RNA sequence: GCCCGGAUGGUGGAAUUGGUAGACACACGGGACUUAAAAUCCCGAGGACCCGGAAGGGUCCGUGCCGGUUCGAGUCCGGCUCCGGGCACCA
């Protein structure tokens, strides 16, 4: 053993050993409990930096800890390898996306190995591999057969910079999630996955995801946006064949409907407006709305614009004729694209009614002190005919019954969630396995022809459109049905499709008979602990849940939910901003490794705070982590020979008091560290406890007089420290373990166990309070009874000076902790 | 506007069920070692005030703000302030 801690040599050595021994390769083993831990796989964008390392360090602690606990641990890694940056690199630097991606993978794989993350590299996958995406194409065809994948023309989000369509989930505040360009609207044909068919199941499932952070659940529920209400028809005056269908969550307010509104692009508008001058007015209004929606979309308090139509409708509740508008505050994409307006109980309708001088009828009795505008609270119904006297909830039910009885409408649930648009007009993605035949129309590719391989020989210019559209050999195809000339689909799939099932592929990554080998999936799924950034709270995590349910319904897997527990780790922040290449504040992993070693980098990130919080990078914090490892190294080096020579067994009862305290501390630390890792992921406090134990060992060895009898306790303490540090800093822990004459590394060593007997205290420190303020502390033997403790507390010198002859009203005794003496005054 | 979080020393953070607030670490100050520095080791430390020659001892205040429950509140309840995040004419 060297006297100095040389991280690099140690890390190289153990990484080589792990590789040669295939230490982390696993197979299904029904004899052992399984544990599947997974970090969200990265996009191979170039280099990993210390901002990225955090999530892998967290995953590695969990993986290594679970192995020591006797689990058969699946901890795989792969690459989310399709995506735009590869194409951008091709445009900017003339490198083929495949080459760029592969080179990045090679580099990043090496970085992860150098950080000592314990992956089963035999299971590595890259989503751009045809042997990967072929299964996605097969699932696509199955989804097509069941109507879960469909093609339609629709108004979509278009990113002018990425030159492609974006899903709703990929637009953030009107901007592209990736490049932050302003997103515009476009009418385009494209492919959709029918995620709305699973809206209820995805929502209900949220409540069963008890291992997920609440805020992620809240975001998903929010995104799905279920609202219950009713849909019913408004007859149009003078048009006996026309009815306007409206959706409302407040059917109880029907009597307060004083006008109705259609979305400007509502198809009925053209039938209602026949007179040329009104038609012209409508056209002018629509153009205005279109223009304004571009600019004013983000405005705080958007004024509501509307145009009154000559047509009028009937309020079926009151039987009254009411005016009809088209207005920009009603959206075609939600509900029926038409609303009943109730200004008394809806603030938007109230605002609109005020500007257009429309009637306002209150249908809920206001509280006495109420002074607002529209009232949305609960109360007793008024001005509402047969609903009068009911509460809001009761009136809702009654109103729906009434609509149903008269055949006017029915109860109805609406969702904010919309189908997932998966078409991307880009090259570097998985081809959609569909062919357009002049005779047969749209036909899926034959299964035996899968995969539809993305052609390699393309020219990527970046000047609009996918290079696939001009790739003759790819586009021209024979119709799978009639054999006639046909054209291949040139859209590729959203890369979120690949990441919706990669966790399944890891179960049997080379399986050639399907997406996943059934037995492997049954054994490994679901993922026991998933770890990733909060930015995927709705995107990836919602898609993956949906896709898993689809695969279940296709009979391919048995689980309902892919991720049993989720840990959303915080960002790594430096100089007030998220550590990222574009912000120019990255700390390079090899600088940290060269100067301190991978273990130090890992330890710092795990110690600086709990994983779910943001972590502020601190060079001094890194120094501190390094100092701790150096101290541990030196301590081991100094006492090594004595410790190797020392006995491993000793009788705790024969130890003098202070060594028995140390022995107790060892067991207390095991308990704390185990619980902190296992149930809370509070690695920072686990590490702090280990540091305290080392501090105690250091203090103890100063006492020369106890050398003889103390060494076995020190040995037990140090070996416990080294073993428990292994998940955090595996290289130095392995090396120190070996230096203490242990063969075979730490990888197969079991996690230390604490003994309940060893935790028992002989002396208790009891806090004595007077009227809730700490006034003294007494030490008593643990077997002393309560009355004795209380009388000792009352007799304590300091305590007595506060009692000062006052009358003791009562004494509160919390066993083993404190005595609170309550006196008057 | 609605829905989630969060606020604790100079700093990152502890305090898991209401029971000694500030563990552990960073930074800082003092000391030892050294010709000197670095490294290392030891000691100190929430704030204000008081007693004492000193070592030391004591009192009060203190977990964003106001109030409540309780013998006792960082922790529970009500009302705010500020910060972060999500959604947002979704009927």
């Amino acid at each position: 053993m060297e006297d100095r801690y040389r991280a690099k040599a140690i890390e190289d050595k153990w990484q080589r050993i792990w590789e040669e021994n295939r230490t982390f390769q696993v197979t299904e083993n029904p004899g052992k409990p399984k544990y599947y831990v997974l970090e969200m796989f990265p996009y191979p964008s170039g280099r990993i930096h210390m901002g990225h390392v955090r999530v892998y360090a967290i995953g590695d602690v969990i993986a290594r800890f679970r192995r020591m606990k006797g689990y058969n641990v699946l901890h795989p890694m792969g690459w989310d390898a399709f995506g735009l940056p590869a194409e951008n690199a091709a445009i900017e630097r003339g490198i083929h996306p495949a080459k760029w991606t592969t080179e990045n993978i090679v580099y990043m794989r090496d970085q992860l190995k150098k950080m000592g993350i314990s992956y089963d590299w035999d299971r590595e996958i890259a989503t751009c591999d045809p042997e990967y995406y072929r299964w996605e194409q097969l699932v696509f065809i199955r989804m097509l057969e069941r109507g879960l994948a469909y093609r339609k023309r629709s108004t979509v989000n278009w990113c002018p910079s990425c030159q492609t369509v974006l899903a709703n989930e990929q637009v953030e505040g009107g901007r592209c999630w990736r490049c932050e360009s302003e997103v515009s609207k476009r009418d385009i044909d494209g492919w959709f996955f029918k995620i709305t068919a699973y809206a209820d199941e995805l929502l209900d499932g949220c409540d069963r995801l008890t291992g997920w952070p609440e805020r992620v659940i809240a975001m998903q529920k929010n995104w799905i946006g279920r609202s219950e209400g009713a849909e019913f028809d408004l007859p149009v005056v003078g048009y006996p064949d026309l009815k306007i269908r409206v959706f409302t969550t407040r059917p109880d307010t029907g009597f307060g409907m004083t006008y109705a509104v259609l979305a400007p692009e509502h198809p009925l508008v053209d039938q209602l407006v026949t007179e040329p001058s009104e038609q012209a007015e409508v056209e002018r209004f629509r153009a205005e709305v279109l223009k304004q929606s571009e600019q004013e979309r983000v405005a705080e308090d958007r004024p509501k614009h509307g145009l009154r139509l000559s047509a009028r409708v009937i309020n079926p509740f009151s039987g009254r004729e009411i005016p009809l508008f088209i207005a920009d505050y009603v959206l075609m994409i939600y509900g029926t694209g038409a609303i009943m307006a109730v200004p008394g109980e809806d603030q938007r309708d109230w605002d609109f009614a005020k500007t257009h001088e429309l009637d306002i009828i209150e249908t809920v009795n206001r509280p006495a002190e109420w002074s607002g505008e529209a009232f949305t609270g609960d109360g007793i119904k008024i001005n509402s005919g047969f609903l009068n006297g009911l509460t809001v909830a009761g009136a809702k039910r009654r109103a729906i019954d009434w609509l149903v009885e008269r055949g006017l409408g029915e109860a109805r649930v609406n969702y904010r969630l919309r189908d997932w648009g998966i078409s991307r007009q880009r090259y570097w993605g998985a081809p959609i396995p569909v062919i357009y035949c002049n005779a047969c129309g749209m036909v899926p590719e034959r299964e035996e022809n899968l995969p539809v391989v993305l052609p390699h020989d393309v020219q990527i210019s970046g000047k609009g459109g996918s290079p696939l559209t001009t790739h003759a050999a790819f586009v021209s195809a024979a119709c799978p049905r009639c054999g006639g000339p046909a054209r291949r689909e040139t859209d590729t799939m959203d890369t979120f499709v690949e990441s919706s099932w990669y966790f399944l592929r890891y179960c049997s990554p080379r399986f050639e008979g399907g997406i996943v080998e059934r037995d492997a999936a049954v054994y490994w799924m679901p993922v026991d602990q998933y770890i990733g950034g909060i930015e995927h709270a709705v995107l990836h995590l919602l898609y993956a849940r949906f896709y898993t349910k689809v695969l279940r319904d296709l009979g391919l897997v048995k689980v309902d939910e892919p991720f049993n527990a989720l840990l959303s780790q915080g960002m790594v922040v430096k100089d007030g901003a998220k550590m990222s290449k574009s912000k120019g504040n990255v700390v390079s992993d090899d600088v940290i490794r060269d100067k301190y070693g991978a273990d130090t980098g890992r330890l710092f990130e795990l110690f600086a705070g709990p994983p779910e919080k943001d972590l502020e990078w601190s060079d001094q914090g890194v120094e501190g982590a390094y100092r701790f490892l150096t101290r541990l190294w030196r301590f081991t080096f100094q006492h090594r020979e004595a410790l190797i020579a020392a006995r491993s067994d000793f009788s705790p009862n024969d130890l003098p008091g202070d060594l028995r305290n140390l022995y107790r501390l060892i067991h207390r630390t095991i308990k704390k560290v185990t619980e902190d890792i296992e149930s809370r992921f509070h690695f920072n406090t686990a590490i702090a406890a280990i540091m305290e134990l080392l501090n105690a060992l250091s203090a103890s060895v100063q006492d020369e007089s106890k050398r003889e009898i103390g060494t076995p306790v020190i040995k037990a303490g140090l070996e416990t420290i080294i073993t428990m540090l292994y998940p955090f800093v595996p290289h130095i822990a392995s090396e120190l373990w070996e230096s203490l004459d242990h063969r075979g590394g730490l990888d197969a060593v079991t996690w230390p166990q604490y003994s309940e007997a060893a935790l028992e205290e002989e002396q208790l420190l009891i806090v004595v309070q007077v009227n809730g303020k700490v006034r003294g502390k007494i030490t008593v033997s643990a077997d002393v009874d309560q009355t004795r403790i209380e009388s000792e507390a009352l007799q304590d010198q300091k305590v007595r000076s506060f009692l000062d002859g006052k009358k003791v009203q009562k004494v509160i005794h919390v066993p083993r902790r404190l005595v609170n003496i309550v006196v008057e005054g």
Side-chain angles (χ1 to χ4, degrees):
Chain A
M1 183 190 191
E2 287 197 54
D3 61 335
R4 268 195 54 210
Y5 168 42
R6 291 177 208 281
K8 187 157 173 42
I10 293 166
E11 290 172 5
D12 287 349
K13 169 184 162 183
W14 287 98
Q15 283 161 21
R16 202 178 56 245
I17 289 172
W18 292 329
E19 185 124 14
E20 282 168 4
N21 294 350
R22 304 165 54 80
T23 309
F24 309 118
Q25 269 77 346
V26 282
T27 49
E28 291 93 272
N29 177 354
K32 266 178 145 187
K34 70 94 183 179
Y35 196 87
Y36 187 176
V37 55
L38 183 67
E39 300 102 61
M40 289 181 186
F41 68 165
Y43 179 78
S45 59
R47 300 281 186 267
I48 281 171
H49 55 68
M50 290 311 290
H52 300 122
V53 166
R54 189 180 192 193
V55 66
Y56 308 120
I58 292 168
D60 202 39
V61 173
I62 297 170
R64 289 181 188 263
F65 172 77
R66 288 285 169 175
R67 282 191 206 100
M68 294 175 98
K69 283 288 234 175
Y71 288 85
N72 193 28
V73 172
L74 176 57
H75 189 213
M77 179 41 68
W79 311 97
D80 191 11
F82 273 136
L84 271 177
E87 278 184 71
N88 294 338
I91 293 160
E92 284 160 26
R93 281 175 276 166
I95 313 170
H96 192 278
K99 185 163 187 278
W100 183 83
T101 303
T102 310
E103 284 173 5
N104 288 342
I105 288 174
V106 167
Y107 194 93
M108 290 167 71
R109 183 196 296 131
D110 185 55
Q111 287 182 296
L112 289 173
K113 286 186 176 176
K114 284 179 172 161
M115 286 311 299
I117 315 294
S118 63
Y119 295 122
D120 177 354
W121 283 106
D122 283 359
R123 292 175 186 259
E124 180 182 359
I125 54 177
T127 58
C128 61
D129 182 350
E131 287 308 306
Y132 180 84
Y133 63 70
R134 68 179 300 171
W135 304 113
E136 184 170 311
Q137 292 174 335
L138 181 62
V139 169
F140 183 95
I141 292 168
R142 294 272 178 278
M143 290 174 75
L144 195 59
E145 289 162 1
R146 295 185 178 222
L148 290 170
Y150 65 92
R151 188 175 158 82
K152 77 166 181 198
R153 186 171 198 87
S154 66
T155 308
V156 295
N157 308 298
W158 178 263
C159 173
S161 160
C162 299
Q163 290 276 311
T164 189
V165 165
L166 299 173
N168 291 316
E169 288 82 0
Q170 292 156 12
V171 181
E172 297 170 345
R175 292 178 178 278
C176 172
W177 72 294
R178 197 140 230 176
C179 70
E180 296 183 8
S181 311
E182 177 127 351
V183 169
S184 57
K185 295 284 174 191
R186 213 174 241 217
D187 280 325
I188 208 164
D189 287 318
W191 287 96
F192 288 83
F193 281 167
K194 204 166 188 178
I195 192 169
T196 52
Y198 288 83
D200 264 328
E201 202 196 331
L202 287 167
L203 188 68
D204 295 344
C206 283
D207 293 328
R208 263 168 276 132
L209 295 174
T210 49
W212 286 41
E214 269 182 56
R215 59 176 173 155
V216 175
I217 294 292
M219 280 190 231
Q220 293 222 346
K221 283 183 175 175
N222 201 335
W223 189 263
I224 295 166
R226 180 189 156 103
S227 48
E228 287 180 31
E231 231 179 71
F232 62 95
D233 292 322
L234 305 178
V236 183
V237 178
Y239 292 81
D241 299 337
L242 290 185
K243 283 178 288 194
I244 294 173
R245 191 85 168 165
V246 295
F247 172 72
T248 180
T249 55
R250 293 292 303 274
D252 63 292
T253 61
F255 285 90
M257 173 190 356
T258 53
Y259 64 98
V261 189
L262 295 168
E265 65 272 43
H266 196 290
L268 272 182
V269 174
D270 294 327
Q271 297 177 56
L272 291 167
V273 178
T274 45
E275 203 257 316
S277 71
E278 192 178 15
Q279 275 173 348
E281 258 186 284
V282 167
E283 280 321 308
R284 210 178 312 124
F285 182 78
R286 283 175 168 169
E288 224 173 88
V289 169
L290 226 79
K291 200 163 64 198
Q292 145 227 286
S293 70
E294 288 291 329
Q295 303 156 350
E296 291 183 34
R297 188 171 30 210
V298 275
E300 266 300 295
D301 204 4
R302 263 173 286 177
K304 295 166 179 52
H305 304 284
L307 176 71
R308 190 177 188 136
L309 301 181
S310 57
R312 293 169 71 79
V313 293
I314 307 278
N315 176 343
F317 289 89
S318 63
R320 281 195 212 147
E321 258 188 43
I322 55 173
L324 177 65
F325 288 80
I326 55 175
D328 57 356
Y329 79 99
V330 173
L331 310 174
M332 197 56 223
I333 47 172
Y334 187 77
T336 59
I339 62 157
M340 65 172 211
V342 185
E345 278 89 33
D346 185 291
Q347 188 60 41
R348 293 157 300 179
D349 296 342
W350 196 93
D351 293 340
F352 190 82
K354 278 288 164 190
T355 41
H356 290 83
E357 296 178 342
L358 297 158
D359 294 341
I360 298 175
I361 300 173
E362 298 184 351
T363 74
V364 180
N365 196 25
R366 272 50 171 173
E369 71 280 10
W370 170 255
S371 63
E373 298 174 343
F375 179 72
T376 54
D378 198 4
I380 299 300
K381 299 302 297 184
I382 52 171
N383 301 325
S384 294
F386 65 94
L387 299 174
N388 282 339
L390 296 171
T391 62
V392 167
K396 276 184 187 176
R397 283 192 297 270
R398 182 75 194 86
I400 291 170
D401 290 345
W402 185 86
L403 287 167
V404 171
E405 281 159 24
R406 277 157 190 73
L408 293 168
E410 67 229 351
R412 170 82 201 208
V413 176
N414 249 306
Y415 300 92
R416 215 185 69 95
L417 180 72
R418 291 197 259 292
D419 280 341
W420 174 15
I422 57 133
S423 276
R424 295 293 177 272
Q425 292 67 33
R426 299 297 308 205
Y427 163 68
W428 192 234
I432 293 172
V434 157
I435 289 164
Y436 303 96
C437 169
N438 294 332
C440 311
M442 189 267 288
V443 186
E445 179 58 279
R446 286 165 179 272
E447 281 173 32
E448 57 267 35
N449 291 344
L450 297 182
V452 177
V453 177
L454 189 68
H456 193 273
D457 53 333
V458 288
Q459 282 301 311
I460 298 168
S461 65
K463 292 191 188 69
S466 159
L468 289 180
T469 56
T470 53
H471 191 287
F474 179 77
V475 173
S476 72
C479 172
R481 192 168 295 159
C482 70
R487 185 174 53 81
R488 195 177 287 283
E489 171 66 80
T490 55
D491 281 356
T492 52
M493 281 190 254
D494 184 359
T495 59
F496 278 101
V497 182
E498 284 91 68
S499 56
S500 290
W501 63 281
Y502 75 107
F503 44 86
L504 276 168
R505 191 63 186 165
Y506 283 139
C507 297
S508 55
R510 313 286 170 248
F511 183 54
E512 291 181 3
I515 189 164
V516 63
E517 194 184 351
R518 183 173 290 262
D519 292 346
V522 166
Y523 180 78
W524 290 116
M525 286 299 288
V527 174
D528 294 279
Q529 185 62 53
Y530 199 32
I531 311 153
I534 188 73
E535 65 272 19
H536 288 296
V538 273
L539 287 156
H540 160 59
L541 290 168
L542 189 65
Y543 295 146
R545 291 183 60 212
F546 157 68
Y547 206 81
T548 300
K549 290 174 193 301
V550 170
L551 295 178
R552 176 203 59 195
D553 291 347
L554 293 174
L556 298 169
V557 296
K558 295 202 162 157
V559 288
D560 294 316
E561 292 284 347
F563 314 121
N564 212 18
L566 174 71
L567 178 61
S568 289
Q569 98 279 359
M571 301 182 292
V572 177
V573 170
K574 186 167 181 283
D575 310 323
K578 178 181 180 168
M579 192 181 282
S580 74
K581 202 159 67 180
S582 61
K583 298 257 167 43
N585 62 350
V586 298
V587 175
S588 146
D589 61 312
D590 24 71
V591 167
I592 294 298
R593 270 201 310 273
D594 283 352
K595 203 166 169 193
Y596 306 102
D599 281 337
T600 296
R602 294 167 56 128
L603 185 66
F604 162 70
E605 295 204 337
L606 294 163
F607 177 63
E612 66 275 9
K613 278 189 76 166
D614 284 354
L615 181 149
E616 176 77 33
W617 183 265
S618 155
D619 290 333
Q620 282 152 347
V622 178
E623 288 277 355
Y626 183 65
R627 224 161 15 225
F628 170 71
L629 294 181
T630 314
R631 204 160 73 233
L632 176 69
W633 183 274
R634 215 167 25 234
F635 184 90
T636 311
F637 178 78
Q638 271 168 15
H639 304 285
R640 180 170 168 256
E641 281 172 22
L643 294 177
I644 291 172
R647 294 192 330 259
S648 291
D649 60 319
F650 56 89
S651 166
N653 294 329
D654 298 340
L655 296 171
D658 47 352
L659 282 174
R660 209 151 56 222
N661 286 341
L662 185 63
Y663 173 74
R664 187 179 306 115
L665 181 64
I666 294 170
H667 284 261
R668 275 223 310 262
T669 307
I670 296 171
K671 183 177 198 298
K672 172 154 182 67
V673 172
T674 307
E675 287 170 358
D676 279 353
I677 297 177
E678 197 160 39
S679 50
R680 304 202 306 160
F681 304 122
H682 279 202
F683 309 125
N684 54 332
T685 51
I687 294 165
I690 294 171
M691 287 174 169
E692 280 183 82
L693 181 55
L694 182 65
N695 291 346
L697 293 188
S698 299
S700 178
V701 292
Q702 311 269 319
D703 187 351
E704 299 277 343
S705 67
K706 302 271 171 55
R707 174 91 6 123
E708 189 66 25
I709 187 165
T711 307
V713 186
I714 301 295
K715 180 175 185 167
L718 183 62
E719 291 191 348
T720 303
I721 287 174
I722 291 168
T723 312
M724 292 197 301
L725 277 174
Y726 169 80
F728 305 101
V729 285
H731 312 88
I732 186 175
S734 299
E735 184 68 19
L736 291 174
W737 186 249
E738 193 179 75
S739 78
L740 290 176
D741 236 15
H742 294 289
R743 307 262 159 245
L746 262 173
D747 310 301
V749 169
T750 52
W751 185 255
Q753 295 243 317
Y754 62 89
S755 100
E756 288 290 347
L759 294 174
E760 272 175 34
E761 310 264 355
E762 296 128 37
Q763 298 282 307
L764 296 175
L765 180 72
I766 307 285
V767 170
V768 185
Q769 297 182 332
V770 177
N771 286 348
K773 288 188 175 165
V774 179
R775 297 305 186 187
K777 288 160 196 179
I778 55 174
T779 306
V780 296
S781 172
D783 48 18
V784 165
D785 65 42
Q786 291 215 11
T787 30
R788 171 85 185 280
I789 292 172
E790 283 173 30
S791 71
E792 270 191 43
L794 286 159
Q795 274 156 36
D796 183 85
Q797 270 300 306
K798 282 182 214 152
V799 173
R800 279 173 69 174
S801 67
F802 285 93
L803 299 179
D804 190 26
K806 287 173 194 155
K807 194 179 165 203
V808 174
Q809 289 179 321
K810 67 174 151 172
V811 176
I812 311 245
H813 192 154
V814 182
R816 308 176 71 83
R817 303 210 74 148
L818 113 174
V819 173
N820 186 13
I821 301 159
V822 184
V823 296
E824 57 193 356

